[in-house]
């Protein structure tokens, strides 16, 4: 059974149909790319999966449960993790505290009050920071990091709780080519434990890391298949040569 | 980028050893409060003033927990304060009972339940409430309660309840004076320590995260509104305790103790002293009540006191939003560090 099953998803903003009957299936352990021109509904789709808004129609099943209208915290508990398009680290907290917050989200209130988690989770936090080359910035405020580092911190935060599915909306936006390459390298090893849906405009980047691609255009699925299939699909070519 | 990275560890280290101002302010305040009754032994009216400051500081702290730590703009703190003051006045009048070991916890319970109920309405709905909605909701609650009580004969209507039975422990009764002061100080220190522990715990870290990006915390899996409701209820209990002590100390309570007027005064205490610091509200209360005391002999000033307070609030909000303490405490220190050792 698929990890994520989206069927017939619709989202209307007034007369605008940002999503218009979208189907999407993601299996465990696959990297799934979401591409399409500006305004095609990619972010809207990710947000519906995360619970940032509820769809107008259709269903979302995650890990066997219907989560179409579940609040975000419940989806997080089921193993869903995300990084939105706009970077959202907590700028006035230390890098360390940012990851700590990501890790203790499911602790009971009484445990939060007793504050044992800070020491208990230290190895995992430093491990997460190490993986994203942020270990020596642990005590700095997250707001002091460079833009690229903030993106990494957010990915580190999203991965720290060991989710089953990670949603990334343009994680390499504003990164230098070198930082992009490193990001690809940093993401590769998570495949063993976590599926990924990633939105990217950089087609080379996405072809390198993804197994499957879904193409959106004006809220509809234009194509869905393996990276090679999509690359050779003439309709997709048309969009990417004429309109982007 | 390279310059920034090479500098980073050095600055981090410097910050680690950074001089902290808040503990110093806390200690000096505590020392002053402990010394006060001895220094003021021959000025009973000043001991009474200081006792009032201690009691109202509790109300200011309760507002700080709401606004400074949880981002709840509550104009309803006086509601919990006032209802508890009426409850202990009625228990004294109708049950002839005023043992502090029972009535003070009762006042806290009343504040806790009432604010919990309000939180359930305002915070725990299916949709995330806006801060304007919460501000108006609490304001309306306080206003409605004031009107209701002002027209209710059983609780003295517009005249309120006077000659409240003196607070007692066993056969000892407490009138205003050094003994009452000591009790109030003990309670303030205990409440302060408890609040400090709360906001410096990992729960406090969650609150700090919420203040910066509430949505992000929800997507981590935090039940943001449930934490808000919890802190709001704890703050309600503290406001209730404050109201009971106030009524015992004054021997009187009235409708204005429930209303938006006193709620707003609590806002001013807190913002003037510096919200999000706990000790700031105590200093703010002392400053405002102290000035009010000094100026209260001048008729013209007394008449315009609410207007003056309004201006103080405006000036603080516009020019010094971090309050008095913001002048000496850095943002980094205010946002703080959280309990528990690392590595
Ligand atoms: N909150 C909203 N209210 C109204 N319209 C919205 C809202 N959010 C998105 N839209 C519209 O929905 C459509 C899809 O937007 P979406 O952000 O999902 O596109 P996208 O594929 O992520 O684009 P981009 O590549 O630029 O990030 C756009 O036409 C956008 O203007
Ligand atoms: Mg987008």
């Amino acid at each position: 059974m698929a990890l994520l099953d989206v069927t017939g998803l619709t989202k209307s903003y007034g007369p605008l149909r940002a999503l218009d009957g979208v189907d999407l299936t993601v299996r465990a352990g696959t990297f799934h790319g979401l591409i399409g021109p500006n305004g095609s509904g990619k972010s809207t789709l990710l947000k519906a999966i995360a619970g940032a808004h509820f769809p107008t129609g259709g269903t979302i099943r995650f890990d066997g449960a219907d989560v179409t209208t579940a609040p975000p915290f419940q989806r997080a508990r089921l193993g869903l993790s995300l990084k939105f398009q706009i970077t959202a680290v907590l700028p006035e907290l230390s890098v360390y505290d940012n990851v700590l917050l990501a890790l203790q989200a499911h602790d009971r209130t009484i445990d939060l009050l007793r504050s044992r988690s800070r020491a208990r989770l230290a190895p995992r936090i430093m491990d997460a920071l190490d993986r994203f080359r942020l270990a020596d910035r642990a005590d700095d405020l997250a707001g002091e990091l460079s833009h690229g580092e903030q993106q990494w911190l957010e990915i580190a935060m999203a991965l720290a709780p060991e989710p089953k599915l990670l949603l990334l909306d343009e994680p390499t936006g504003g990164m230098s080519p070198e930082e992009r390459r490193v990001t690809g390298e940093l993401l590769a090893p998570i495949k063993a434990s976590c599926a990924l849906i990633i939105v990217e405009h950089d087609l080379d980047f996405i072809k390198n890391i993804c197994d499957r691609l879904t193409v959106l255009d004006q809220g509809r699925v234009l194509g869905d298949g393996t990276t090679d299939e999509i690359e050779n699909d003439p309709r997709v070519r048309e969009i990417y040569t004429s309109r982007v | 980028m390279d310059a920034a990275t090479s500098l980073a560890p050095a600055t981090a280290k410097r910050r680690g050893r950074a001089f902290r101002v808040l503990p110093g302010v806390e200690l000096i305040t505590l020392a002053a409060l402990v010394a006060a009754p001895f220094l003021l032994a021959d000025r009973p009216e000043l001991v009474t003033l200081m006792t009032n400051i201690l009691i109202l500081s509790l109300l200011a702290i309760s507002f700080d927990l709401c606004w400074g730590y949880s981002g709840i703009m509550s104009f309803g703190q006086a509601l919990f304060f006032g209802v508890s003051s009426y409850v202990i006045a009625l228990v004294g009048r109708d049950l002839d009972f005023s043992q502090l070991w029972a009535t003070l916890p009762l006042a806290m319970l009343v504040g806790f339940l009432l604010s919990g109920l309000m939180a359930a309405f305002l915070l725990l709905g299916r949709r995330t409430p806006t801060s304007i909605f919460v501000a108006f909701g609490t304001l309306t609650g306080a206003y409605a309660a004031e009107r209701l009580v002002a027209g209710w004969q059983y609780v003295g209507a517009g005249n309120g309840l006077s000659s409240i039975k003196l607070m007692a422990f066993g056969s000892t009764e407490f009138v205003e004076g050094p003994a009452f002061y000591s009790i109030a100080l003990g309670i303030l220190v205990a409440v302060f320590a408890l609040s400090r522990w709360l906001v410096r715990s990992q729960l406090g870290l969650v609150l700090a995260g919420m203040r910066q990006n509430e949505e992000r915390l929800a997507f981590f899996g935090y039940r943001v509104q449930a934490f808000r409701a919890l802190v709001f209820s704890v703050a309600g209990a503290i406001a209730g305790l404050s109201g009971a002590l106030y009524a015992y100390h004054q021997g009187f309570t009235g409708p204005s103790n429930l209303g938006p007027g006193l709620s707003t005064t609590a806002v001013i205490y807190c913002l003037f002293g510096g919200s999000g610091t706990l000790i700031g509200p105590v200093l703010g209360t002392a400053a405002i009540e102290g000035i009010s005391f000094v100026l209260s002999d001048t008729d013209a000033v007394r008449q315009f006191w609410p207007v003056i307070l309004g201006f103080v609030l405006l000036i603080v909000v516009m020019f010094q939003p971090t309050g008095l303490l913001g002048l000496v405490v850095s943002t980094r220190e205010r946002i703080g560090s959280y309990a528990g050792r690392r590595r």
Side-chain angles (χ1 to χ4, degrees), chain A residues 43 85 169-170:
Chain A
S43 296
Q85 189 161 355
D169 200 344
E170 302 195 15

Side-chain angles (χ1 to χ4, degrees), chain B residues 37-48:
Chain B
F38 301 103
L39 300 176
L40 304 174
D42 49 352
R43 299 284 304 275
E45 78 282 10
L46 289 184
V47 174
T48 302

Side-chain angles (χ1 to χ4, degrees), chain A residues 82 92 101 118 139 141 144, chain B residues 212 216 222 332 339 342:
Chain A
L82 60 103
E92 295 182 328
L101 272 177
R118 201 173 183 81
D139 291 319
L141 297 186
E144 293 169 348
Chain B
Q212 291 170 47
R216 190 71 197 92
Y222 290 100
R332 171 100 188 193
R342 253 179 68 181

Side-chain angles (χ1 to χ4, degrees), chain A residues 61-81:
Chain A
R61 292 183 70 79
F62 177 64
D63 205 17
D66 185 340
V67 296
T68 315
T69 58
F73 79 88
Q74 269 175 15
R75 303 181 202 219
R77 275 168 204 209
L78 288 172
L80 193 75
S81 200

